[in-house]
Amino acid sequence: MFEGLGTQRLLALFFAGWLLFSFPLLGLWDRDATLLGVPLFPAALFILWALLIAMLAWWMEHPDQK
Amino acid sequence: MVSPAAVIAASFAYLLLLFAVAYIGDWRARQGRSVIDSAWIYALSMAVYCTAWTYFGSVGRAASGGVWFLPIYLGPTLAMVLGWVVIRKMIRIARVYRITSIADFIASRYGKSPLLSGLVTLIAVVGIVPYIALQLKAVSAGYTLLTAPGSAGLSPGRHWDSDGAFYVALILAGFSIVFGARQLDTTERHEGMVAAIAFESLVKLVAFLAVGVFVVYGLFDGLADLFARARAVPALASLLRLEQGADFSWSQWFAQILLSMLSVVFLPRQFQVMVVENVRESHLRRAVWVFPLYMLVINLFVLPIALGGLLYFGSTPMNAENFVLSLPLAAGQNALALFAFVGGLSAATGMVIVETIAVSTMVSNELVMPLLLRTRQFRPGAGHDLTRVLLGVRRAAILGLMLLGYSYFHLAGEAYALVSIGLVSFAAVAQFAPALLGGLYWKGGSPTGALAGLLAGFSMWVYTLMLPSIAKSGWLGTDLLEHGPWGLTLLRPEQLLGLRGLDGLTHSLFWSMLVNIVAYVGISLWRAPSGHVASQALLFVDVYDRSAVSSPIFWRGEAKVPDLLRLCERFLGAGKARSLFETYAARAGAAQVDAIRADARLVHFVETQLAGAVGSASARLLVASAVEEEALTAEDVLRMLDEASQLRAHSRELEEKSESLERATAELRQANEQLKSLDRLKDDFMSSVTHELRTPLTSIRALAELMRDDAQMPLAQRRQFIDIIVTETERLTRLVNQVLDMAKIESGHAQWHASDVDLRALVGQAVSTTAELFHERQTRVDVVMPEQVPSLRCDPDRLMQVLLNLLSNAAKFVPVPGGRVTVQLDSDSAGVTISVRDNGPGVPREQQALIFERFRQGGDGANRPQGTGLGLPISRQIVEHFGGRIWIESKAGQGSSFVFQLPWHGLKPRPGATQ
């Protein structure tokens, strides 16, 4: 059902994203700090999100490097 | 404020532009030059997910809850991570079985049950109407705010004909009809509409970003300034944190991510653009990351706009959902405000158009058609052309949906924020998930199970989410919520069985999904499905295993071609039906339509074509009425499957055989070519050898004849002639030896004696052997060698042969006097390199490759030196025998350098072997 390295990578990425966006890992970013003037918590959420998309894009656009 | 005329003019101009884009899309599609055949357009069309809810509602949500606007976009991102696995399978199935909507999809999987497809349609309609109302509300509120900023809210209580939302609803219905229900298409794809939606996605993105940039850099001094000022206000600072003063509700966070993850696939409009309108499966590969990226970008400025609005307006109470409009307006940027409104309009129209088209297809195919087919007038046997009826039904459905949305907006619109309305819809369509996902991967799911799951989940949704929302908008007493029905507190809709600690949405999602899944799985496991259902399950779950040729067709019975043709004519139109049958005849190898064999394949073909027009459940009913079919048992299905897989195995075997035959042929052809070229080489070789033999033989013979015929020849001359004869004979001997040598090496019969060779000694020996030769030509020979060279395992005599060849070659070409030859020996970890460099005329680049071939000597014809032309070829054979290579480095006029390299052969270099 979920054969192939590509599919397994996607599954792994899905669970990684799920973990990063939920309890308790998300709580780690909840600090009274700023990143270039942007409060850390929202900044971290957007950066994690962007990283997830970048990883997905890389695997989707380079399917041959298996 | 902006004048109403300007707003209306801008809106109309924008809608006209949309019409133009859609028209061009349709026009290009008819010409076969599709504009939407692009992964980028496909991804943009998916962004129809971002509606007015995103555009206005997210800011409102952020203004009251900080990052709580985000789970609605994180969920779809996660869903897209698995998109290539799950959505691709759905696309493949929809393409193969001509599925036109999500109701059709679910019904097809469960034995084409009309009951199931009707229920799915009903849930979709009930769930979607509030969502359409939400869009109308957003547009209408935006219009009011723009034209009369004083009135903070909107007053839907006005008479309907003075209400802009009503006209908006009508115009959108018109647009949807023109581009979604103008003609009956058997694939149910709408290129123009998709082009327009992709365009709208761009407009709303640019408009929202424009407002964001204006707020951050126009009203404030950049992001850092905005956030610094927000952090100074305690109420705003808490928005930037997770806890926000209260315990963070992880369950709600989880529920919203899960909900949006399911919705992004199962909302009828998402299913429409992702699955039905997909042009190529490969587009999904890019879209799965571009669409999340789009969501990320459009959300970048949500928090800044929300905080900016709260800071800017301070204590003045303003509806945060309208900050996108009210901020530019308050700053006097009317043009920007108008652009922002057009962006919001774009977000709303895009959603409404796709949603109504998708749901109207479902209503006409899954609700109205099955009912019509039961009436006397439209009985399958009757002869009416039904294409016009079908189109009429679709158009009416679009209009009806829009009016339903408008009524809902009128009756309940004011009570709720945009976000809550949207989430209620999400929770409704999430009910499709167990039946659909289960159906994709689990063969055991049965129609009764799916039906029970959907019914149970939907009822629970109505009771725990819809009912409370109606009660709260004042249409029902709140008694029910506080005390439960008949005073039974255990049944209170928002604390069912006393479950507390969850917000309304999470509570409802938990209970509805629980009963849905339990009913679906439990009842599916109760009884084995019938043959027909099992066959559909197989076709769906194993869709990747089947090609068009070997796919099994589960049908048995008797059919007549004219009956099937008449059926198609009624639902697809006469011309179209005729041409479909002609195509089929051509493919099946029949001379004409009448000669088609009415077998299972034809019946399947007709059913699939009809499914595109009326949905698979109705198509099943229609075909069943036109042919005489026998019911299938589970054993029949297994037998047919077996036959199909045998067929597949045979065809695979054949394919493999023909492939290996092709491979063998190619190999043979290659071998033949090689033989031919070898043969040619042999011929060349023979002619060269005989030529080389003839030259000395001719001179020997001539001189011998001279001496025989001239008895008085002086002794001195005679001696001179004899000397020449001896030299020529030596040359002949050498030539014959070399030819034999060459032949031996090439045939592999040469003797090789391997021993550890001291290379320094070997080079020295070679140089001293040729010293006399160089002395005659007044040439200086330099030898450059390192102090130590490890010994090399090879044949010393052969290596000497190579060195002598190169040295005597050099001797032939050096200038006299002033010749210089350098012999250099180097070793590294890979092996040894020996080069012989001379200061002769050099070898032109075009000849460099040739000189290692047989009988190709350097130099032009005039100053061709003595030699057999076999020295270099033999050297090359020897060097290559030891796994090395030989080459020449030369430029014309600058001398040449013959270099060969020999590897260590895996024998480790032994330092100190030579001292």
Side-chain angles (χ1 to χ4, degrees), chain B residues 340-410:
Chain B
F341 174 75
V342 170
L345 182 69
S346 173
T349 51
M351 176 274 170
V352 170
I353 288 165
V354 187
E355 201 85 87
T356 51
I357 288 175
V359 175
S360 78
T361 307
M362 282 157 68
V363 168
S364 87
N365 285 358
E366 320 297 342
L367 278 183
V368 180
M369 270 318 283
L371 291 179
L372 274 186
L373 290 177
R374 281 172 207 280
T375 63
R376 184 178 297 273
Q377 197 185 354
F378 295 105
R379 248 184 19 251
H384 294 282
D385 178 351
L386 285 178
T387 49
R388 299 203 143 273
V389 180
L390 269 176
L391 268 181
V393 168
R394 281 213 193 156
R395 291 171 184 166
I398 289 177
L399 198 62
L401 270 171
M402 210 65 90
L403 292 179
L404 267 179
Y406 173 74
S407 319
Y408 187 93
F409 155 70
H410 237 335

Side-chain angles (χ1 to χ4, degrees), chain B residues 509-525:
Chain B
L509 184 69
F510 170 74
W511 282 117
S512 59
M513 279 312 214
L514 183 75
V515 297
N516 188 332
I517 294 172
V518 166
Y520 171 62
V521 175
I523 294 186
S524 291
L525 293 177

Side-chain angles (χ1 to χ4, degrees), chain A:
Chain A
M1 182 157 72
F2 296 116
E3 286 157 12
L5 186 58
T7 306
Q8 291 174 32
R9 277 179 180 171
L10 293 179
L11 275 173
L13 191 62
F14 172 80
F15 286 113
W18 187 270
L19 280 174
L20 285 173
F21 290 142
S22 52
F23 180 83
L25 286 180
L26 197 60
L28 297 182
W29 305 97
D30 186 25
R31 287 163 206 279
D32 194 16
T34 59
L35 184 76
L36 302 174
V38 181
L40 183 65
F41 181 56
L45 257 176
F46 273 93
I47 290 170
L48 286 177
W49 193 4
L51 286 179
L52 187 75
I53 294 172
M55 197 90 168
L56 178 63
W58 177 256
W59 280 344
M60 281 286 120
E61 297 290 324
H62 298 85
D64 299 324
Q65 296 183 353
K66 283 181 181 171

Side-chain angles (χ1 to χ4, degrees), chain A residues 1 7 10 14 18 21-23 26-27 30 32 34 37 39 41-42 45-46 49-50 53 56-57 60-61 63, chain B residues 67 70 73 77-78 81 84-85 227 231 240-243 250 253-254 257 285-286 288-289 292 296 299 441:
Chain A
M1 182 157 72
T7 306
L10 293 179
F14 172 80
W18 187 270
F21 290 142
S22 52
F23 180 83
L26 197 60
D30 186 25
D32 194 16
T34 59
F41 181 56
L45 257 176
F46 273 93
W49 193 4
I53 294 172
L56 178 63
M60 281 286 120
E61 297 290 324
Chain B
V67 295
L70 271 182
Y73 307 97
T77 303
L78 291 175
V81 172
W84 184 247
V85 182
F227 279 117
R231 277 152 59 89
L240 299 167
R241 297 292 298 272
L242 186 66
E243 306 281 344
W250 288 108
W253 182 267
F254 174 87
I257 289 187
R285 195 174 264 290
R286 179 159 297 157
V288 292
W289 66 266
L296 186 145
N299 275 303
Y441 292 101

Side-chain angles (χ1 to χ4, degrees), chain B residues 556-766:
Chain B
R556 196 169 55 192
E558 266 181 55
K560 292 193 187 77
V561 176
D563 293 345
L564 291 171
L565 182 57
R566 206 172 318 127
L567 192 64
C568 281
E569 280 170 351
R570 284 184 67 205
F571 288 90
L572 307 174
K576 175 122 192 172
R578 194 83 204 165
S579 81
L580 275 175
F581 269 69
E582 275 160 8
T583 326
Y584 180 86
R587 216 173 42 201
Q592 50 190 345
V593 172
D594 300 333
I596 296 177
R597 254 184 66 206
D599 56 4
R601 206 160 278 282
L602 176 70
V603 173
H604 176 71
F605 173 76
V606 169
E607 191 174 327
T608 324
Q609 295 301 326
L610 283 177
V614 298
S616 54
S618 304
R620 183 85 279 280
L621 281 179
L622 288 171
V623 169
S625 71
V627 300
E628 285 172 29
E629 52 189 37
E630 298 167 27
L632 293 178
T633 63
E635 288 82 51
D636 293 332
V637 169
L638 284 179
R639 190 176 45 73
M640 288 173 170
L641 193 70
D642 207 33
E643 281 166 12
S645 62
Q646 272 178 16
L647 199 69
R648 199 160 69 236
H650 282 315
S651 84
R652 194 172 299 155
E653 228 170 83
L654 267 176
E655 219 167 86
E656 273 168 15
K657 270 188 189 152
S658 86
E659 256 174 39
S660 65
L661 267 178
E662 255 169 49
R663 256 199 314 276
T665 315
E667 276 166 18
L668 277 176
R669 189 173 297 128
Q670 204 184 345
N672 192 32
E673 285 300 316
Q674 218 169 346
L675 276 178
K676 272 190 197 162
S677 85
L678 279 177
D679 191 41
R680 235 182 349 260
L681 276 178
K682 211 89 200 159
D683 286 349
D684 291 350
F685 182 67
M686 286 307 286
S687 77
S688 309
V689 166
T690 42
H691 178 78
E692 296 293 323
L693 289 174
R694 201 174 54 191
T695 320
L697 272 177
T698 313
S699 70
I700 290 172
R701 185 179 156 199
L703 294 174
E705 277 175 358
L706 273 176
M707 289 191 288
R708 184 192 64 190
D709 296 344
D710 185 0
Q712 275 85 44
M713 187 179 280
L715 193 63
Q717 184 153 31
R718 206 172 276 261
R719 187 178 295 279
Q720 189 196 351
F721 279 9
I722 289 177
D723 279 347
I724 295 176
I725 290 175
V726 170
T727 319
E728 288 298 301
T729 319
E730 278 170 355
R731 186 170 156 203
L732 268 179
T733 314
R734 206 162 54 235
L735 183 66
V736 170
N737 279 343
Q738 283 190 334
V739 169
L740 284 175
D741 211 17
M742 185 89 190
K744 258 197 220 163
I745 296 177
E746 280 192 340
S747 65
H749 292 305
Q751 298 281 322
W752 302 89
H753 307 281
S755 64
D756 286 337
V757 178
D758 177 353
L759 290 162
R760 280 171 55 92
L762 193 80
V763 170
Q765 199 186 334

